Amino acid sequence: MCGIVGYTGKQQAAPILLDGLSKLEYRGYDSAGVAVRNSSGKHEVVKTNGRLGVLSDMLDGGKALKGVCGIGHTRWATHGMPSEANAHPHFNDDRSVVAVHNGIIENYGALKDKLTSKGYTFYSETDTEIATKLVDYYYKKWNDPIEAMVSFSLRVRGSYAMAVMFEDYPEEIFIARKDSPLIVGITGDETFLASDVPAILKYTRNIYYVDNMEIARLEKGKATFYNVDKKVITKKSVKIDWDVEAAEKGGYAHFMLKEMHEQPEVVANTLNAFIKNGKINLSEGGLTDEHLKSIGNIQIAACGSAYHVGVAAKYVIEDLARVPVNVDVASEFRYRNPIFGSNDLLIVISQSGETADTLAALREAKGRGVKTLAVVNVLGSSIAREADAALYTKAGPEISVATTKAYSAQLIVAYLVAVQLAFVRGTIDGERYKNLIAQLQTIPAEIKKLLDCDEKLKWFATKISNKKDVFFIGRGIDYAICLEGSLKLKEISYIHSEAYAAGELKHGTISLIEDDTLVIGVVTQMQLAEKSVSNLIEVEARGAYIMSVTVNGNYAIEKQSKLTLYIPNIDPCFTASLAVIPLQLLSYYVGVARGLDVDKPRNLAKCVAVE
């Protein structure tokens, strides 16, 4: 997902824009650019293909571009390949209208035809140039920037976070938003704009979230919000409670390593937010015990690592609470025309709270009158605001594209829901309830122990860094762990990796096993250990090179494994929180051994806010 920044105030804009864009590099991008209104009232646009550092060098850190109002952008290519022409900002013929845009304009073809018939020509392959010239068309028609932004919003289909500067309105920025996040920050006589909090947290903690189909006029120290009827909206700011240092590396080589080592604190903070006086309380998030008692079935929709949390949650909820759970990849959820019962609950899981497919699943359920629960990390995000109830993870800012601490915090919330659901429905008694809560509270310390014992993994990562194919196998919750371990490895190392339910090996997959193929077996569910070990013996017989993750005491597995990693004993429902740690570390060290930028994997973005 691309990054947007904007500024109007008394300081030079370009250094602030470059600084803000640097805080959004984690979102993924392939080109960058800025536009600043200069002292003569004209828009100067500078953009380049490649990394932000190239743009910064061109502008001497921003000093070469004078002006106190500007917008900036890091682009992740969707329409048109990465190039200087396709980079943002985009502009009309005389650069009197300049814009940046996140999202995808779905009806760009029809709009281009319309504008071509009106005499417009195009220099790029992007939908953003079309969007910019559509705003220009309506501005020339109405001679009113708010009217132009409203007309734009009503005419386009798709998703957009749009920021526009008009030459006729010095030191002002006009914005519009649908489905792609935008925030505004104000301090004194300065106004800041961004697509995510880290870009402007250095300057202000008071944030205004722009809602869907809203327009805003940004002036120095002032923001006026409108709906599409051009009526002024009163909006309250949200105070961000994490600091700038939380978004910095803090001496670690990479954000991913730092964020892995933050997991004990993140998990503890998430537990403490919901466990009070030895009991779980989810009511502050809008999920009461009365509602938990009335739930018929649960459906979960999420993407990527959040989906893997959902798979683990299914096993835990069904085991403890005996409530049927269905888990969907959010991008497929709507398209299977899901069936809901009158008392069903849809749980959506998203770190950013802006994941497009997950948001669409939420809206599908709400449109059918189904109760919705969001598990999110970002206060005030679209998913958090639109869900009937929201349980916040306490992960803080997560910068590395590959999630680690947000995944762990989401798992904790899933466990809390499962345990409380089981207790209020009477499928576990008070003694079991207390024991499960006590075990949950041991997880932070156990994660720390696992993080501090990584020397074997460093060695092993170097040994396997030239592998071409890796397979993860496990049963039950172990299969859910395998899904996440496999995703981490392929994200960070670019090694082809797949996760399979171990029992499916004989149904085709075992044909891919040959001499020296790395197979990672996850065996933490001891009631299934005999069957899982049998699967490891099968692949060993075909030449596989085996690594295992298991629980303390299961030493017999070392006979099959070149490397065996042990996690502390804990209730089998909670082993995912511990077993995932060595798999995260392995992925990180393999990526480092291969000389890759583990924080910014190729072709990936942190927040996928387009379908």
Side-chain angles (χ1 to χ4, degrees):
M1 181 61 192
C2 317
I4 285 176
V5 294
Y7 172 79
T8 183
K10 292 184 177 180
Q11 300 184 63
Q12 292 299 308
I16 293 172
L17 299 177
L18 291 171
D19 178 64
L21 291 175
S22 73
K23 302 298 192 298
L24 299 178
E25 284 190 284
Y26 67 92
R27 295 167 73 88
Y29 71 101
D30 45 52
S31 60
V34 295
V36 171
R37 184 186 179 92
N38 63 27
S39 58
S40 61
K42 300 296 182 182
H43 294 139
E44 288 190 58
V45 179
V46 182
K47 52 187 182 175
T48 184
N49 193 30
R51 309 309 293 179
L52 185 63
V54 177
L55 180 66
S56 183
D57 290 344
M58 291 170 62
L59 297 175
D60 189 21
K63 297 175 185 176
L65 196 58
K66 303 295 184 183
V68 296
C69 180
I71 52 179
H73 192 269
T74 48
R75 176 182 185 254
W76 189 41
T78 52
H79 288 71
M81 295 183 66
S83 70
E84 184 176 325
N86 289 333
H88 300 210
H90 286 284
F91 40 80
N92 63 351
D93 290 345
D94 63 1
R95 301 196 181 194
S96 62
V97 176
V98 180
V100 293
H101 159 248
N102 286 353
I104 291 180
I105 306 301
E106 294 176 358
N107 59 333
Y108 71 94
L111 294 174
K112 186 174 184 179
D113 290 343
K114 171 189 172 70
L115 292 169
T116 300
S117 72
K118 301 294 182 181
Y120 283 86
T121 58
F122 299 88
Y123 57 81
S124 77
E125 305 167 272
T126 67
D127 55 344
T128 301
E129 184 192 358
I130 296 166
T132 303
K133 290 179 175 176
L134 184 67
V135 171
D136 176 65
Y137 168 77
Y138 284 122
Y139 178 66
K140 286 181 168 63
K141 181 177 180 180
W142 302 112
N143 197 32
D144 180 345
I146 297 297
E147 190 72 62
M149 299 299 283
V150 168
S151 297
F152 163 84
S153 298
L154 296 175
R155 183 67 177 85
V156 300
R157 294 197 309 272
S159 59
Y160 54 84
M162 191 83 170
V164 185
M165 295 193 302
F166 297 87
E167 191 174 282
D168 296 337
Y169 289 79
E171 299 176 7
E172 296 185 28
I173 303 169
F174 295 81
I175 62 176
R177 185 249 169 160
K178 179 179 180 291
D179 293 342
S180 289
L182 269 183
I183 60 170
V184 174
I186 298 175
T187 180
D189 54 5
E190 296 179 294
T191 300
F192 301 85
L193 166 71
S195 49
D196 203 359
V197 171
I200 63 175
L201 188 60
K202 177 179 178 180
Y203 308 100
T204 180
R205 294 191 185 191
N206 295 313
I207 302 299
Y208 296 87
Y209 287 92
V210 185
D211 286 323
N212 262 355
M213 302 303 288
E214 286 185 354
I215 316 296
R217 179 178 191 166
L218 309 184
E219 303 169 78
K220 292 181 179 181
K222 181 182 178 182
T224 308
F225 300 92
Y226 306 84
N227 60 24
V228 289
D229 295 322
K230 295 175 288 183
K231 293 181 179 178
V232 175
I233 301 167
T234 300
K235 191 179 287 286
K236 292 183 178 180
S237 65
V238 174
K239 187 169 184 178
I240 303 301
D241 60 4
W242 42 270
D243 56 23
V244 177
E245 288 71 24
E248 301 296 340
K249 287 182 185 176
Y252 288 90
H254 297 93
F255 280 112
M256 184 179 178
L257 184 61
K258 171 180 178 280
E259 288 162 7
M260 284 191 288
H261 280 270
E262 288 174 343
Q263 287 176 112
E265 180 182 3
V266 162
V267 168
N269 289 344
T270 303
L271 286 167
N272 292 337
F274 298 105
I275 298 176
K276 307 293 182 184
N277 300 316
K279 295 182 179 179
I280 298 169
N281 185 348
L282 307 176
S283 60
E284 287 187 12
L287 192 63
T288 64
D289 287 351
E290 291 71 24
H291 182 246
L292 288 172
K293 290 177 184 177
S294 69
I295 291 172
N297 298 311
I298 293 175
Q299 304 210 37
I300 300 175
C303 300
S305 293
Y307 168 75
H308 301 156
V309 171
V311 176
K314 172 183 171 68
Y315 288 109
V316 178
I317 293 171
E318 290 189 339
D319 182 27
L320 292 178
R322 310 307 298 153
V323 174
V325 180
N326 184 72
V327 187
D328 273 292
V329 175
S331 58
E332 291 294 315
F333 179 78
R334 288 178 296 157
Y335 304 121
R336 68 171 176 85
N337 193 17
I339 299 169
F340 296 103
S342 58
N343 292 320
D344 282 3
L345 174 70
L346 174 70
I347 302 176
V348 292
I349 308 171
S350 169
Q351 187 280 137
S352 68
E354 303 291 348
T355 311
D357 291 308
T358 309
L359 183 57
L362 171 70
R363 289 171 177 166
E364 175 76 14
K366 284 182 67 69
R368 300 195 192 191
V370 176
K371 180 86 171 179
T372 56
L373 167 66
V375 178
V376 290
N377 190 46
V378 179
L379 183 70
S381 58
S382 296
I383 288 173
R385 284 182 280 119
E386 295 189 28
D388 297 308
L391 301 178
Y392 288 100
T393 55
K394 303 298 181 180
E398 188 175 60
I399 306 302
S400 180
V401 168
T403 183
T404 52
K405 63 176 181 172
Y407 169 88
S408 289
Q410 289 165 354
L411 270 179
I412 292 299
V413 174
Y415 298 155
L416 292 167
V417 170
V419 172
Q420 190 66 10
L421 183 65
F423 180 60
V424 300
R425 295 168 74 96
T427 56
I428 60 173
D429 60 21
E431 191 62 31
R432 173 92 160 120
Y433 181 66
K434 290 179 183 178
N435 178 260
L436 289 171
I437 291 174
Q439 291 209 44
L440 283 172
Q441 292 175 317
T442 69
I443 291 176
E446 301 296 0
I447 289 177
K448 187 176 188 311
K449 290 177 187 175
L450 291 166
L451 287 166
D452 291 341
C453 298
D454 61 353
E455 290 303 319
K456 282 186 180 180
L457 282 165
K458 289 181 183 177
W459 164 80
F460 192 70
T462 305
K463 192 174 181 64
I464 66 167
S465 62
N466 63 345
K467 296 291 184 184
K468 302 296 183 184
D469 300 284
V470 180
F471 296 97
F472 289 71
I473 60 173
R475 292 171 180 263
I477 289 175
D478 291 337
Y479 170 57
I481 301 166
C482 287
L483 288 170
E484 179 60 12
S486 176
L487 178 61
K488 281 293 152 291
L489 187 64
K490 69 179 72 170
E491 279 182 310
I492 302 308
S493 72
Y494 312 152
I495 295 173
H496 169 253
S497 172
E498 300 293 343
Y500 289 96
E504 288 295 294
L505 276 173
K506 292 186 275 296
H507 298 281
T509 308
I510 203 166
S511 66
L512 299 173
I513 304 299
E514 55 189 22
D515 283 348
D516 216 31
T517 300
L518 176 60
V519 176
I520 298 176
V522 180
V523 187
T524 72
Q525 305 298 296
M526 294 313 294
Q527 76 276 19
L528 300 172
E530 187 175 294
K531 292 181 182 294
S532 295
V533 171
S534 176
N535 296 130
L536 292 177
I537 292 171
E538 286 180 301
V539 295
E540 181 189 34
R542 289 157 177 82
Y545 187 88
I546 297 172
M547 168 187 159
S548 299
V549 178
T550 190
V551 295
N552 283 334
N554 187 25
Y555 304 121
I557 202 171
E558 291 184 5
K559 184 177 180 181
Q560 277 71 48
S561 303
K562 301 296 183 184
L563 174 67
T564 304
L565 299 171
Y566 294 95
I567 67 169
N569 288 292
I570 196 170
D571 190 283
C573 288
F574 304 148
T575 57
S577 286
L578 304 182
V580 76
I581 302 301
L583 301 182
Q584 291 174 347
L585 288 166
L586 178 68
S587 300
Y588 172 79
Y589 287 123
V590 171
V592 170
R594 290 167 68 91
L596 302 173
D597 187 346
V598 295
D599 282 335
K600 297 189 279 286
R602 66 188 182 199
N603 303 328
L604 298 179
K606 184 66 180 172
C607 173
V608 184
V610 295
E611 290 189 68

